[in-house]
Amino acid sequence: MKKLRYRKSMNHNYLVADKNGGDDWQLDMLLENHIPGLLPVSLRMNEGQEELYYEISSLQPLSRIYEHKEMRLEEAGHLLAAVSETVRKLQEYMLGGEGLLLGGDVIFTDPEELSPSFLYLPCGGNSLREQLLELAEYLMEHMEQSDAASSIWAYQLYKRLRNENFVLSDLEEYLREKGEPEPSVIRQPVFTEEELPEKETAPEPFDEEEPAEELVITMEEKKEEKEAGEKMSWWKRLLFGNKKEKTKKPVPRKAEPPEEDTEPAEQYDFSAAFAGLETEADNINPAPEDYGKTVFLGEADEPVENVLAEKRSGKRIPMDHFPFFIGKMKERVDLPLSDGSVSRIHARIRLQNGRAFLQDCHSTNGTFVNGIQLESEEEVMLERDDEIRFGRVVFSYC
């Protein structure tokens, strides 16, 4: 597979891959035809190297959309139906399904409409069945676990894909058997004119003295993070069994024979000789009976708080769970901002080993740390008192 990276140019975001030799006729098909379901692609020169630029502006990877929420059965059904339709379109242009990448990180979708766009690499490596297997594993991990029908649906699909003779018509037959969900179930509700989300606009020059429009910030209570450590997925336990590592049983220590009762030797009492003398130990406070846990010097008694402070209003927003999303689409972010320069899913903050890392999420107007703009998907470690700007909205990391 070609090495993929992200690049920002003006207000556009791209996924970039190197162009390899021997794929010219396939690339010509992609460049000269708009194939429904695929990301638009263009060929550009960069430092003497030909590169493929895939337009992903205003889109988010599937893995980010379902990082906070589980996937419903209707959404999974529409995703697979879109895969099938796209492969059929590719066949009309004599392009094979092996160039279609179906990993959760490379399927891009509109955050509101959830309409997928797929990445096609000329002369791709893995077969369509292998790509579909990867997608089925992703679905099993992210389906609504509270809905038994969803879990069974994803697992049965995975079992069919494991058959080496699987072909595209088998997928289409499976979708017909289970019944394709109505398109309306995943469409977003119709907004009134007052409720219609603002479009992202280019930021105007930022004036420190000019009063800013009040931000609409609503914080909903979030569930605590899942316990650390990976657990075997339910579908892996079903396929391979719940094997646990064998642990050695502790070897019981042999009981020591009780000591023989002996008369204590007669000792001379020296206390009378030192009566009235004050020693240094008399001035030391005795240790409490409950000694408690020994802590390292400098270890904090309370966990370090992670807070974003809005620069103009001074409002402090605690980040009590991670990953923590910032953007304009309140249904999918933790810190909703009403400013038009902010993207629907603008940025993401995660915590690792007690340190916070900020990542730009293909924002239109950029994410800045201390005046330096991040590249698309670039991630930087935050320091206390760093100034962070989302579009034209400024915060301080505390």
Side-chain angles (χ1 to χ4, degrees):
M1 182 191 297
K2 298 178 176 66
K3 183 179 179 181
L4 303 176
R5 60 264 186 199
Y6 294 91
R7 194 165 292 164
K8 182 183 286 290
S9 177
M10 301 296 289
N11 291 335
H12 291 265
N13 292 287
Y14 300 95
L15 186 63
V16 181
D18 293 328
K19 176 189 172 296
N20 293 339
D23 53 12
D24 289 344
W25 72 269
Q26 291 185 333
L27 181 58
D28 289 342
M29 284 290 187
L30 295 177
L31 296 176
E32 296 174 7
N33 301 280
H34 176 68
I35 303 177
L38 297 187
L39 291 170
V41 61
S42 59
L43 183 64
R44 303 186 184 185
M45 292 290 294
N46 182 37
E47 297 181 354
Q49 174 71 35
E50 289 184 310
E51 297 178 330
L52 304 178
Y53 275 62
Y54 295 87
E55 175 77 56
I56 58 171
S57 300
S58 300
L59 302 178
Q60 295 292 335
L62 199 68
S63 57
R64 181 165 295 140
I65 296 294
Y66 293 104
E67 190 169 12
H68 260 330
K69 58 169 286 189
E70 295 178 319
M71 184 182 293
R72 294 182 295 142
L73 178 57
E74 294 84 359
E75 295 168 344
H78 280 289
L79 174 62
L80 288 172
V83 171
S84 174
E85 185 178 353
T86 302
V87 174
R88 290 300 183 194
K89 288 292 183 182
L90 288 171
Q91 292 173 350
E92 295 178 11
Y93 293 90
M94 298 181 293
L95 295 172
E98 65 277 358
L100 200 65
L101 301 190
L102 298 178
D105 292 329
V106 290
I107 297 176
F108 289 83
T109 182
D110 182 278
E112 293 178 78
E113 298 177 0
L114 297 180
S115 52
S117 296
F118 301 102
L119 173 66
Y120 189 90
L121 287 177
C123 294
N126 294 335
S127 68
L128 177 61
R129 174 180 161 271
E130 291 172 320
Q131 296 290 350
L132 283 168
L133 267 173
E134 182 179 356
L135 178 57
E137 289 187 11
Y138 177 84
L139 292 179
M140 286 192 292
E141 295 285 357
H142 294 85
M143 292 295 287
E144 232 174 352
Q145 300 299 316
S146 59
D147 181 10
S150 298
S151 300
I152 294 172
W153 183 89
Y155 175 65
Q156 289 178 344
L157 172 66
Y158 181 79
K159 283 183 65 177
R160 290 202 179 193
L161 287 167
R162 294 185 70 197
N163 184 349
E164 294 183 358
N165 298 320
F166 183 92
V167 291
L168 182 63
S169 58
D170 294 330
L171 173 63
E172 295 167 338
E173 181 183 355
Y174 182 75
L175 292 176
R176 284 194 298 269
E177 287 176 1
K178 301 301 179 181
E180 292 187 28
E182 293 296 326
S184 58
V185 291
I186 64 167
R187 287 179 182 168
Q188 300 298 316
V190 178
F191 292 96
T192 63
E193 188 173 348
E194 292 78 10
E195 295 172 330
L196 193 64
E198 294 182 56
K199 293 184 178 179
E200 297 163 18
T201 57
E204 298 173 358
F206 192 78
D207 187 357
E208 292 284 344
E209 302 301 325
E210 181 183 353
E213 179 184 359
E214 184 179 355
L215 302 178
V216 179
I217 302 176
T218 59
M219 300 298 296
E220 297 180 0
E221 192 172 352
K222 301 290 180 179
K223 295 180 181 179
E224 294 182 359
E225 279 193 298
K226 295 179 181 178
E227 295 182 1
E230 295 182 355
K231 297 182 179 179
M232 184 178 286
S233 303
W234 64 269
W235 59 271
K236 289 183 180 178
R237 293 198 302 270
L238 190 59
L239 284 173
F240 308 113
N242 191 13
K243 298 180 180 179
K244 296 183 179 179
E245 294 183 3
K246 296 182 179 179
T247 55
K248 294 182 180 180
K249 295 183 179 179
V251 180
R253 297 178 61 183
K254 294 182 179 179
E256 298 181 1
E259 297 181 1
E260 298 180 2
D261 294 334
T262 55
E263 290 291 332
E266 184 177 353
Q267 298 182 0
Y268 183 78
D269 185 5
F270 291 94
S271 58
F274 296 98
L277 295 179
E278 188 179 89
T279 65
E280 185 177 356
D282 294 330
N283 296 324
I284 299 178
N285 294 327
E289 292 185 5
D290 184 10
Y291 297 103
K293 180 184 176 182
T294 302
V295 298
F296 291 104
L297 292 175
E299 182 177 321
D301 295 331
E302 299 294 334
V304 178
E305 188 178 18
N306 292 280
V307 172
L308 290 177
E310 204 274 316
K311 186 172 182 180
R312 290 190 180 272
S313 67
K315 185 177 180 66
R316 295 171 63 87
I317 298 94
M319 296 183 287
D320 56 0
H321 62 276
F322 295 91
F324 189 89
F325 286 91
I326 301 97
K328 190 167 52 181
M329 190 176 177
K330 64 180 181 180
E331 296 86 358
R332 297 197 179 274
V333 300
D334 305 289
L335 175 56
L337 304 175
S338 64
D339 194 279
S341 67
V342 176
S343 296
R344 288 172 294 181
I345 300 179
H346 195 107
R348 169 183 181 269
I349 298 176
R350 69 178 180 90
L351 202 65
Q352 179 179 335
N353 298 328
R355 303 303 301 268
F357 292 82
L358 172 67
Q359 183 180 35
D360 178 81
C361 297
H362 313 306
S363 65
T364 299
N365 294 312
T367 302
F368 299 78
V369 177
N370 299 325
I372 301 175
Q373 184 175 5
L374 304 186
E375 290 289 339
S376 183
E377 291 287 330
E378 183 182 357
E379 188 176 65
V380 296
M381 186 171 68
L382 295 176
E383 301 289 347
R384 300 294 172 179
D385 300 324
D386 276 350
E387 182 185 86
I388 306 172
R389 179 157 64 87
F390 309 111
R392 59 184 167 215
V393 184
V394 183
F395 288 87
S396 176
Y397 172 65
C398 306

